[in-house]
Amino acid sequence: MHSVDPQVQPSHGESYNHNDTNMQPRISIKRRPRGPGTPSPMHSFNPQVHASHNESYNNLMGTNPQQPRILVEKQPQNTPLTTHQVSPQVPTSNDENYNLSDTNVQQLDKRWPSDRAYGRRGWVSGSDRFTSTYDLVEQMFYLYVRVVKAKVLPPSTITSSCDPYVEVKLGNYKGRTKHFEKKLNPEWNQVFAFSKDRIQSSVLEVFVKDKAMVGRDDYLGRVVFDLNEVPTRVPPDSPLAPQWYRLEDWCEEGKVRGDIMLAVWMGTQADEAFSEAWHSDAATVYGEGVFNIRSKVYMSPKLWYLRVNVIEAQDVIPGDRNRLPEVFVKAQVSCQVLTTKICPSRTTTPFWNEDLIFVACEPFEEQLTITVEDRVHPSKDEVLGKISLPMTLFEKRLDHRPVHSRWFNLEKFGFGMLEGDRRNELKFSSRIHMRICLEGGYHVLDESTLYTSDQRPTSRQLWKQPIGILEVGILGAQGLLPMKMRDGRGSTDAYCVAKYGQKWVRTRTLLDTFSPKWNEQYTWEVYDPCTVITLGVFDNCHLGGGEKAPGGSAARDSRIGKVRIRLSTLEANRIYTNSHPLLVLHPHGVKKMGELQLAVRFTALSLANMVHIYGQPLLPKMHYLHPFTVNQIDNLRYQAMNIVAVRLGQAEPPLRKEVVEYMLDVDSHMWSMRRSKANFFRIMSLFSGMITMGKWCSDVCLWKNHVTSVLVHILFLILIWYPELILPTMFLYMFLIGLWNYRFRPRHPPHMDTKLSWAEAIHPDELDEEFDTFPTSRSHDVVRMRYDRLRTVAGRIQTVVGDIATQGERFQSLLSWRDPRATSLFVVFSFCAAVVLYATPFRVVALVTGLYFLRHPKFRSKTPSIPSNFFKRLPARTDSLL
């Protein structure tokens, strides 16, 4: 077997099927080295930030607009990098393209072969197009070889047995199965896949060899196939049945050396054997890395909310009988620990009636442990009773109807017993009254509610019919940056993960390429269009070489970027082929790591159901009948995310914790000055329309444009004379605006916006604070400086909140007689206004009021109006503040 050339550029592989296998064939390659692909150049982008927004934010936050900012550019492609880390040096430039671009995929409609022939010139296109569900990706052709088993192999003359294995040879590619010791009728059942683009021979050779302890392995026999005679199989055809072939002697032609069962066919990546096959472009992977590069479909564990309603306890006897206990209940499920409040009254029959909520998952392997404890000292708790209950004991509730409560006997270690050999005996202590159930009517949140991908309740009985189908073709990526060093040069082993609903998919890992081509297509059922699919690209750092991070810790798969697509922004039955930017925020600024090419299609099954779903609540009705608090939702989401990460990490190949956390946005709740700025500007953009409308009304009142002011007066008089036209006019106006804006509707799905995220111009210390650990790991001086800055920002926010509270309290003081003279004036004014408004028609009142506000500037005074002066003189409760 030839040695592996480390400079070999892997071919672009892809996966459709998701069957796994425990076979570990080995393949070695010998050919000319070829350098990795070069990322494509990026276009320019000049970030612009609205000056008024900057000024408003600096005035509120108390920051200096003259402080230095970082404008970030992608690193040059040939810069060497530290293992598993991107370069810390980020040049400053404005020529980065962070926008979404169209992908012209011309081969999506390429016709599939129909004549089942393979010639030296390639595939012969037929006239009939093959219709399959894999129509969003490019076709990739492979030669498949399934080695099933052998029989009647000749034994060795020395050992009277043999240690057989199979070697599949196609040109310079050699694939090898595992070997069996002393077995004349072995079974392998392994599949090899050779990319059609890399076939360099017209003959396929299959050798059966006897592994020797020392020296060269012996040939037992071989089978030769002419590729021109190999049949073609395209799903939905049934799998090709393996056949028995006679093994001919290597030296003596015509001499039979046993039989081998093989199946050889030409197929595509849509073949069922694709995911379980060992590919010729992954020759450098060995050991556990064989499983870590395969494609896989994962299902999130079925999560339940466990509600423990602690009602009361009886006969709670403390260790010190001279005092009454301060009792509370502690409940634990796996790593989740919750406690009730201490009973307000010291008694041996405490009462709580508190709910403790946990997250549990099927299969129910953990138990619920209930402990009744006495707060003897602020730093010491004494266990008074304990019980462990299996999850299968509890009732599953689908609606808000209460379940039956039960009394449970508690057990404890016997105290005060004189016999030393009986101190560990379990003794009946007391009992506790609880109502416990598994909530099937809730949706267990394991991702942020802002971009959730699933809103169905836990119980399948409450699910409704799907309203559509989501198909995603993961075509490939372009312009990826080197993520680690290998043999003195930058390298990236990329794979893509997609998550929607309970279904996770992972593409196969393509080795040592900056432009991987996966061409894998996956399908999801859609139950609500107002959901989001998340796709992330990662660098595989677990290829079987015992990789370590720079600090010596276990290697972690590096994040390359993430894409979110909201299904409600997609037109039905339309294929979107776009190249999405992969953006990652690093401690030194935002960085474009490449582009992810996707083909997305959302198919609506029923228009009536689609319209109906827009009037339904986002979450199941239990979230509204018995809602959780905000703190409960955050804690439960964190626990659910941990459970999902642990369960997916136990799969084969594992979906690692760092990948799950990145896909579920586990750190989205952490403090960030950058996010605060982004949210502030989002609020400013919302109020910008109202501010613009207010300026326009002010211009009308000030008669800056006489024609506009006259037309507004005429419209006002018409609406006063015909008030029944007010609401129809408003809705007709919105209808016409909607029709006009249809011409300018978005043509592409939304993408990560660096300007909206406030990631283009960031203060270095703000980024360092965002990437700080929790609790902090920075020096005391840095923490003190950040704390002072936070106090400044919070002080200004505190002032704004105080001003709002002051205005509200002034409204309350109108009738509170806090200022007797002001309240007397307002009461007299209210009585006079009631009499006048009762005697005057409403049209006259509206006409006079409107003409007063639209009056000419000659009739206006520059001083504040009388109502404004009166309101500002009203008292507030600020006088009572310390």
Side-chain angles (χ1 to χ4, degrees):
M1 185 171 292
H2 301 287
S3 61
V4 178
D5 192 332
Q7 300 295 328
V8 173
Q9 171 82 10
S11 65
H12 306 316
E14 50 288 320
S15 172
Y16 279 78
N17 304 296
H18 321 297
N19 300 325
D20 206 353
T21 180
N22 294 326
M23 306 303 176
Q24 299 186 30
R26 293 182 296 163
I27 296 181
S28 298
I29 306 173
K30 184 178 181 181
R31 55 175 178 157
R32 290 185 178 180
R34 183 173 63 178
T38 305
S40 59
M42 304 301 168
H43 303 288
S44 60
F45 176 75
N46 185 18
Q48 297 180 355
V49 182
H50 200 283
S52 63
H53 286 183
N54 280 334
E55 183 178 355
S56 302
Y57 183 82
N58 291 324
N59 291 336
L60 176 62
M61 297 300 185
T63 55
N64 184 6
Q66 303 301 327
Q67 289 177 333
R69 296 290 189 269
I70 293 181
L71 298 178
V72 189
E73 183 191 42
K74 184 180 62 178
Q75 180 189 350
Q77 311 291 346
N78 55 358
T79 305
L81 302 177
T82 307
T83 305
H84 310 310
Q85 289 184 348
V86 294
S87 172
Q89 301 298 328
V90 184
T92 58
S93 176
N94 293 335
D95 43 349
E96 186 72 89
N97 181 17
Y98 298 135
N99 295 329
L100 193 72
S101 59
D102 290 326
T103 302
N104 186 15
V105 186
Q106 301 178 354
Q107 299 183 3
L108 291 186
D109 295 330
K110 182 179 178 181
R111 298 183 184 275
W112 290 63
S114 60
D115 55 351
R116 307 293 176 98
Y118 175 78
R120 295 187 179 182
R121 294 185 179 181
W123 291 97
V124 181
S125 300
S127 58
D128 297 328
R129 181 184 177 185
F130 173 74
T131 58
S132 74
T133 56
Y134 303 99
D135 57 344
L136 297 182
V137 294
E138 303 176 24
Q139 301 166 22
M140 311 286 285
F141 301 101
Y142 291 87
L143 171 66
Y144 291 96
V145 181
R146 181 184 292 276
V147 181
V148 183
K149 57 184 176 179
K151 66 180 181 179
V152 198
L153 297 179
S156 173
T157 57
I158 300 176
T159 62
S160 300
S161 183
C162 66
D163 302 332
Y165 68 91
V166 177
E167 183 180 86
V168 182
K169 184 175 184 295
L170 180 63
N172 291 331
Y173 291 94
K174 289 185 179 181
R176 177 177 169 180
T177 68
K178 59 184 178 180
H179 79 278
F180 292 98
E181 295 183 359
K182 299 180 180 181
K183 200 166 187 179
L184 299 179
N185 300 298
E187 294 187 11
W188 293 283
N189 196 26
Q190 295 181 226
V191 183
F192 299 88
F194 300 89
S195 175
K196 173 247 181 182
D197 296 333
R198 295 175 179 267
I199 292 180
Q200 302 172 353
S201 175
S202 60
V203 176
L204 171 69
E205 297 176 283
V206 180
F207 298 94
V208 179
K209 295 184 178 182
D210 182 10
K211 185 174 180 60
M213 297 295 296
V214 179
R216 189 173 183 180
D217 298 340
D218 297 329
Y219 283 94
L220 299 180
R222 71 166 182 169
V223 181
V224 180
F225 296 88
D226 185 355
L227 296 188
N228 294 312
E229 303 298 329
V230 172
T232 300
R233 179 196 174 251
V234 179
D237 293 353
S238 299
L240 189 67
Q243 300 179 10
W244 285 104
Y245 295 90
R246 292 184 175 180
L247 292 170
E248 298 182 356
D249 189 84
W250 174 261
C251 300
E252 301 180 23
E253 185 174 355
K255 184 178 180 181
V256 179
R257 305 274 293 181
D259 298 309
I260 185 171
M261 180 178 282
L262 300 171
V264 182
W265 73 95
M266 289 289 182
T268 65
Q269 73 269 44
D271 203 290
E272 293 85 353
F274 183 83
S275 61
E276 69 181 50
W278 177 250
H279 294 262
S280 56
D281 59 355
T284 58
V285 180
Y286 54 91
E288 294 184 358
V290 172
F291 304 101
N292 291 331
I293 66 171
R294 289 177 176 168
S295 63
K296 191 74 173 180
V297 172
Y298 307 85
M299 295 301 296
S300 294
K302 189 174 183 179
L303 302 178
W304 295 76
Y305 283 139
L306 175 65
R307 184 187 296 271
V308 181
N309 177 226
V310 183
I311 303 175
E312 59 180 334
Q314 288 183 354
D315 302 327
V316 179
I317 308 300
D320 184 5
R321 298 178 181 252
N322 296 324
R323 56 178 291 272
L324 291 175
E326 299 181 30
V327 186
F328 65 94
V329 176
K330 178 189 294 184
Q332 181 174 358
V333 176
S334 184
C335 303
Q336 309 171 58
V337 180
L338 296 176
T339 60
T340 66
K341 298 178 182 178
I342 297 178
C343 182
S345 61
R346 291 193 174 192
T347 177
T348 57
T349 58
F351 181 85
W352 296 280
N353 195 23
E354 290 188 32
D355 281 346
L356 305 178
I357 311 296
F358 299 89
V359 179
C361 71
E362 294 184 358
F364 298 119
E365 300 173 351
E366 297 86 4
Q367 289 189 335
L368 171 64
T369 302
I370 302 294
T371 306
V372 178
E373 301 186 11
D374 177 20
R375 179 63 53 85
V376 180
H377 189 269
S379 60
K380 181 182 178 181
D381 298 327
E382 177 184 336
V383 178
L384 303 181
K386 183 177 181 181
I387 187 174
S388 294
L389 303 172
M391 295 289 182
T392 55
L393 188 65
F394 309 137
E395 179 183 347
K396 295 180 179 179
R397 185 172 72 165
L398 304 183
D399 51 25
H400 63 282
R401 288 177 294 183
V403 297
H404 297 290
S405 60
R406 295 179 57 184
W407 286 95
F408 298 91
N409 293 329
L410 298 174
E411 295 177 338
K412 61 169 289 185
F413 290 108
F415 289 95
M417 303 179 69
L418 300 179
E419 296 83 2
D421 57 342
R422 297 183 58 193
R423 295 193 65 84
N424 288 332
E425 287 187 6
L426 293 175
K427 177 185 176 183
F428 170 77
S429 174
S430 59
R431 62 177 187 164
I432 187 170
H433 190 199
M434 295 186 296
R435 183 181 289 111
I436 308 176
C437 65
L438 291 165
E439 298 282 7
Y442 289 89
H443 169 67
V444 181
L445 297 169
D446 60 349
E447 52 193 347
S448 175
T449 55
L450 299 178
Y451 22 80
T452 181
S453 63
D454 190 12
Q455 298 163 349
R456 293 171 293 172
T458 298
S459 178
R460 186 178 290 270
Q461 303 175 21
L462 302 178
W463 290 5
K464 299 180 180 179
Q465 293 297 322
I467 63 169
I469 300 295
L470 173 64
E471 299 168 277
V472 178
I474 305 175
L475 304 177
Q478 284 187 348
L480 298 183
L481 299 186
M483 301 299 296
K484 54 179 174 284
M485 294 296 297
R486 177 182 295 158
D487 299 329
R489 61 185 177 87
S491 176
T492 298
D493 307 314
Y495 66 92
C496 182
V497 175
K499 196 265 182 188
Y500 182 78
Q502 297 180 354
K503 181 179 176 182
W504 300 65
V505 298
R506 167 180 172 158
T507 67
R508 60 187 295 257
T509 300
L510 296 185
L511 306 181
D512 198 16
T513 175
F514 299 143
S515 299
K517 296 294 182 182
W518 293 293
N519 283 303
E520 303 184 20
Q521 183 170 338
Y522 299 96
T523 304
W524 287 268
E525 290 182 335
V526 178
Y527 294 84
D528 194 318
C530 303
T531 48
V532 177
I533 180 173
T534 304
L535 302 99
V537 182
F538 302 88
D539 176 54
N540 197 333
C541 297
H542 299 83
L543 302 180
E547 296 87 348
K548 296 291 183 181
S553 58
R556 295 165 57 91
D557 288 355
S558 304
R559 58 184 67 171
I560 298 179
K562 181 165 54 179
V563 173
R564 297 193 197 99
I565 300 177
R566 185 171 292 274
L567 271 58
S568 59
T569 62
L570 304 178
E571 298 180 10
N573 306 317
R574 173 187 170 185
I575 298 178
Y576 291 83
T577 55
N578 301 107
S579 187
H580 299 257
L582 296 172
L583 305 177
V584 174
L585 191 65
H586 292 291
H588 299 272
V590 67
K591 200 171 190 180
K592 182 176 181 180
M593 310 297 292
E595 295 181 350
L596 178 62
Q597 296 177 337
L598 300 174
V600 182
R601 177 173 57 203
F602 173 56
T603 304
L605 300 179
S606 171
L607 180 60
N609 291 340
M610 184 76 67
V611 174
H612 173 73
I613 202 70
Y614 272 87
Q616 300 302 308
L618 284 176
L619 295 173
K621 64 178 182 179
M622 284 295 292
H623 287 268
Y624 306 98
L625 297 179
H626 295 282
F628 297 130
T629 64
V630 175
N631 290 336
Q632 281 181 322
I633 292 176
D634 291 340
N635 294 332
L636 292 173
R637 175 181 172 251
Y638 180 76
Q639 299 299 337
M641 185 276 302
N642 282 336
I643 294 175
V644 172
V646 170
R647 289 298 179 93
L648 295 181
Q650 296 172 350
E652 191 66 47
L655 200 60
R656 304 191 180 274
K657 183 177 181 180
E658 61 269 19
V659 175
V660 177
E661 289 181 348
Y662 183 59
M663 296 290 291
L664 297 181
D665 292 280
V666 65
D667 58 348
S668 60
H669 65 286
M670 299 297 291
W671 160 257
S672 169
M673 182 67 76
R674 176 188 60 83
R675 291 196 187 102
S676 300
K677 292 181 179 179
N679 292 331
F680 174 80
F681 288 122
R682 289 172 60 196
I683 295 177
M684 291 295 296
S685 64
L686 292 177
F687 286 109
S688 62
M690 300 174 60
I691 295 174
T692 302
M693 181 62 67
K695 291 182 178 180
W696 179 81
C697 294
S698 177
D699 293 342
V700 170
C701 295
L702 296 177
W703 289 76
K704 291 187 176 182
N705 188 323
H706 296 278
V707 176
T708 303
S709 299
V710 171
L711 292 177
V712 169
H713 279 73
I714 295 175
L715 177 63
F716 174 73
L717 294 176
I718 294 175
L719 294 178
I720 291 297
W721 192 258
Y722 301 102
E724 62 274 10
L725 296 179
I726 295 178
L727 290 180
T729 302
M730 291 175 56
F731 284 103
L732 179 63
Y733 179 69
M734 288 187 286
F735 170 76
L736 295 177
I737 291 180
L739 290 183
W740 177 261
N741 290 340
Y742 181 77
R743 301 171 51 194
F744 312 103
R745 67 189 185 279
R747 304 288 181 174
H748 305 294
H751 64 283
M752 299 293 183
D753 193 336
T754 56
K755 184 177 180 181
L756 179 66
S757 305
W758 197 253
E760 295 176 351
I762 318 171
H763 193 277
D765 185 69
E766 294 177 2
L767 266 181
D768 183 72
E769 181 183 19
E770 184 170 347
F771 282 90
D772 191 8
T773 58
F774 190 85
T776 182
S777 59
R778 299 299 186 263
S779 63
H780 295 292
D781 294 337
V782 174
V783 174
R784 185 182 298 109
M785 181 270 294
R786 292 174 180 172
Y787 177 65
D788 291 340
R789 180 180 61 193
L790 188 61
R791 289 175 61 190
T792 303
V793 174
R796 296 182 179 273
I797 297 176
Q798 171 184 287
T799 302
V800 173
V801 174
D803 292 341
I804 297 175
T806 299
Q807 306 306 321
E809 291 170 353
R810 285 174 175 170
F811 272 108
Q812 291 181 344
S813 64
L814 285 173
L815 299 174
S816 65
W817 295 92
R818 183 67 177 252
D819 185 343
R821 285 167 292 276
T823 304
S824 301
L825 292 174
F826 183 74
V827 168
V828 172
F829 169 77
S830 300
F831 177 78
C832 296
V835 174
V836 172
L837 293 177
Y838 178 78
T840 308
F842 178 76
R843 290 183 180 180
V844 176
V845 175
L847 176 64
V848 173
T849 305
L851 293 178
Y852 173 78
F853 282 104
L854 294 174
R855 66 190 185 279
H856 196 274
K858 292 183 178 180
F859 304 101
R860 294 178 180 272
S861 173
K862 294 184 179 181
T863 59
S865 61
I866 295 177
S868 175
N869 296 331
F870 177 80
F871 181 77
K872 290 179 180 180
R873 292 177 178 274
L874 293 174
R877 303 183 65 182
T878 53
D879 307 334
S880 303
L881 292 177
L882 292 177

